[in-house]
Amino acid sequence: MQLALSSSTTTVTVEAAERLGFVDLTPLLEREVALAGDGFAIVFSRHTTCALVVNELEDGARRDLKARLDHLFPPSIYYAHDDLTIRTQNLQEGERANGHAHVAQMLMGGTSHTIPIANGELMLGRWQRLLLVELDEPKPREVVFRVYPA
Amino acid sequence: MQLALSSSTTTVTVEAAERLGFVDLTPLLEREVALAGDGFAIVFSRHTTCALVVNELEDGARRDLKARLDHLFPPSIYYAHDDLTIRTQNLQEGERANGHAHVAQMLMGGTSHTIPIANGELMLGRWQRLLLVELDEPKPREVVFRVYPA
Amino acid sequence: MQLALSSSTTTVTVEAAERLGFVDLTPLLEREVALAGDGFAIVFSRHTTCALVVNELEDGARRDLKARLDHLFPPSIYYAHDDLTIRTQNLQEGERANGHAHVAQMLMGGTSHTIPIANGELMLGRWQRLLLVELDEPKPREVVFRVYPA
């Protein structure tokens, strides 16, 4: 069967409870794909200090990720991004000390995912959930869902 | 030229020979895109403890990745995901101690890739291969190939 | 509104100024999507030792990423990929000692991104830029932009 595209776009705004908290976006995305038949969803984070991961929603795994990120990207060490004695670019009122979160995001990636849809359902495996991981202090985060039926 | 979409979907099941073994998915995907003209392929892993990477298939690079992952995400340290004295969520018979693999996957990403196709060939560079990296003990893994000609 | 796909493809070639230098690809991609209405762009790196990240273009953040990568994937340690006493695969004239860059790319990912387009503009957040990060010594790098209007 051949179908022309007619995409839909939804931007959701969510906020984690704490630094390195998870927000489960799966139910929000499931709602958007229910009418999509066999298609795909693009999910896109509009931010530089949070990440989208597809993994299990389990408190222990979240604590483990927090422990590893704090070990690999310690908030306590020097970050040039946070050094206001030398920084000249992109400065704004109330600039946060979030250099560790920028570096973690660059290494983690997680700006976009593309998820196939079959019969109006995301083709996720048994334990997979679409999670927003807040790498900075909590604030409202916009995630774009663009759904293509086909 | 304008073409309507008529996608095809294939799910392949593969199994690595060992933890941190690679499975080269490139030939399997190449077979699916041969008739796609100029389109794109979505590749999607349905798992939380393995990753899809696009890199060189070379034994030394694989050993190097293994050494770095074992250094950055040591299987021997404490993971709350594996602590059955506190865990309450998503428990199942024969639960594996794979907290290190969950954390590595969340940091590596590698759940999905989108690869352009030209003239029925993946637009991979000279050394690029689509590889499944097993982060846990080997087991059968499902990878979805969704191909869009256009 | 339903539209059939008519994609366009552009391959750009760029070169960073130094190892762990950034190249801002955003203006190059913006030029390609201006006529795309509401669609999406696939960006795909054809290389195994550089990465595409979507993050802030700020000199401090770049220095921080360099410092962390050099810490997590030290160029000075042993890499089997660079050990010409054992290596047999994919050898070529003038082989570079770039095992650290392969491992960093496998962990960072960043081979492809999918970015939604609205009204001919990338749906990037305020600070997001599409950046090529050179993990190896500088050389010409090909990045494919495949744009789908719809």
Side-chain angles (χ1 to χ4, degrees):
Chain A
M1 183 172 62
Q2 293 213 338
L3 285 178
L5 285 191
S6 176
S7 69
S8 65
T9 306
T10 306
T11 300
V12 297
T13 303
V14 297
E15 185 163 345
E18 58 191 320
R19 187 172 81 84
L20 299 175
F22 284 4
V23 179
D24 185 5
L25 302 174
T26 320
L28 300 175
L29 182 56
E30 282 173 339
R31 206 169 55 193
E32 300 302 319
V33 308
L35 302 177
D38 292 353
F40 63 98
I42 298 167
V43 295
F44 184 82
S45 155
R46 304 189 69 217
H47 301 279
T48 54
T49 56
C50 65
L52 301 174
V53 308
V54 179
N55 209 288
E56 186 173 342
L57 183 63
E58 193 274 312
D59 282 346
R62 186 178 68 77
R63 285 176 50 192
D64 295 332
L65 178 65
K66 180 180 189 317
R68 272 294 92 186
L69 288 174
D70 280 343
H71 179 76
L72 299 174
F73 310 98
S76 59
I77 64 173
Y78 176 85
Y79 291 92
H81 181 68
D82 303 330
D83 185 346
L84 301 183
T85 67
I86 59 166
R87 180 156 159 200
T88 59
Q89 298 162 311
N90 301 355
L91 283 165
Q92 58 176 349
E93 192 94 14
E95 187 69 33
R96 299 176 184 218
N98 60 6
H100 65 284
H102 281 283
V103 177
Q105 201 283 336
M106 288 191 270
L107 250 144
M108 291 180 72
T111 302
S112 66
H113 293 276
T114 307
I115 306 175
I117 302 164
N119 302 313
E121 297 191 353
L122 300 166
M123 293 185 76
L124 297 174
R126 180 174 180 192
W127 301 113
Q128 285 182 313
R129 309 290 289 179
L130 174 65
L131 306 170
L132 180 136
V133 182
E134 178 58 72
L135 302 171
D136 200 345
E137 295 305 316
K139 51 184 162 181
R141 299 299 201 171
E142 290 182 7
V143 179
V144 178
F145 298 152
R146 172 68 62 84
V147 176
Y148 285 88
Chain B
M1 183 172 62
Q2 294 212 338
L3 285 178
L5 285 190
S6 174
S7 69
S8 66
T9 306
T10 306
T11 300
V12 298
T13 303
V14 297
E15 185 164 346
E18 58 191 318
R19 188 173 79 85
L20 298 175
F22 285 3
V23 180
D24 185 5
L25 302 174
T26 321
L28 300 174
L29 182 56
E30 282 173 339
R31 205 169 55 192
E32 301 302 319
V33 307
L35 302 177
D38 292 353
F40 63 98
I42 298 167
V43 296
F44 184 83
S45 155
R46 303 189 70 217
H47 302 278
T48 54
T49 56
C50 65
L52 302 174
V53 307
V54 180
N55 210 288
E56 186 172 341
L57 183 63
E58 193 274 313
D59 282 345
R62 187 178 69 76
R63 286 175 51 193
D64 295 331
L65 178 66
K66 180 179 189 316
R68 273 294 93 186
L69 288 174
D70 279 342
H71 178 76
L72 300 175
F73 310 97
S76 59
I77 64 173
Y78 175 86
Y79 291 92
H81 181 69
D82 304 330
D83 185 346
L84 301 183
T85 67
I86 59 166
R87 180 156 159 199
T88 60
Q89 299 162 311
N90 301 355
L91 283 164
Q92 58 175 347
E93 192 94 16
E95 186 69 34
R96 300 177 183 216
N98 60 6
H100 65 283
H102 281 282
V103 177
Q105 200 283 334
M106 288 191 269
L107 249 144
M108 291 181 73
T111 302
S112 67
H113 292 276
T114 307
I115 306 176
I117 302 163
N119 302 314
E121 297 191 352
L122 300 167
M123 293 185 76
L124 298 175
R126 180 173 180 193
W127 301 113
Q128 285 181 314
R129 310 289 292 178
L130 175 65
L131 307 169
L132 180 135
V133 181
E134 178 57 74
L135 302 171
D136 201 346
E137 294 306 316
K139 51 183 162 181
R141 300 300 200 170
E142 290 181 8
V143 179
V144 179
F145 298 153
R146 173 68 63 82
V147 176
Y148 285 88
Chain C
M1 184 172 62
Q2 294 213 340
L3 285 177
L5 284 190
S6 175
S7 70
S8 65
T9 307
T10 306
T11 301
V12 297
T13 303
V14 297
E15 185 164 346
E18 58 191 319
R19 187 172 80 84
L20 298 176
F22 284 3
V23 179
D24 185 6
L25 302 174
T26 320
L28 300 174
L29 181 56
E30 281 172 339
R31 205 170 54 193
E32 300 302 320
V33 307
L35 301 177
D38 292 352
F40 63 97
I42 297 166
V43 295
F44 184 82
S45 154
R46 303 189 69 217
H47 303 278
T48 54
T49 56
C50 64
L52 302 174
V53 307
V54 179
N55 209 288
E56 186 173 342
L57 183 63
E58 194 274 314
D59 281 347
R62 187 178 70 75
R63 286 175 51 192
D64 295 332
L65 178 66
K66 180 179 190 317
R68 272 294 94 184
L69 288 174
D70 278 343
H71 179 77
L72 299 174
F73 310 98
S76 59
I77 65 174
Y78 175 85
Y79 291 92
H81 182 68
D82 303 330
D83 185 347
L84 300 183
T85 68
I86 60 167
R87 180 154 160 199
T88 59
Q89 299 162 311
N90 300 355
L91 283 164
Q92 58 176 350
E93 192 95 15
E95 187 69 32
R96 298 176 185 218
N98 60 6
H100 65 284
H102 281 283
V103 177
Q105 200 284 334
M106 288 191 269
L107 250 143
M108 291 181 73
T111 302
S112 66
H113 292 276
T114 308
I115 306 174
I117 302 164
N119 301 314
E121 297 192 353
L122 300 167
M123 293 185 76
L124 297 174
R126 180 173 180 193
W127 301 113
Q128 285 182 313
R129 310 290 289 179
L130 174 66
L131 306 169
L132 180 136
V133 181
E134 178 57 73
L135 302 171
D136 201 346
E137 294 305 316
K139 50 184 161 180
R141 300 299 200 172
E142 290 181 7
V143 179
V144 179
F145 298 151
R146 172 68 62 83
V147 176
Y148 285 89

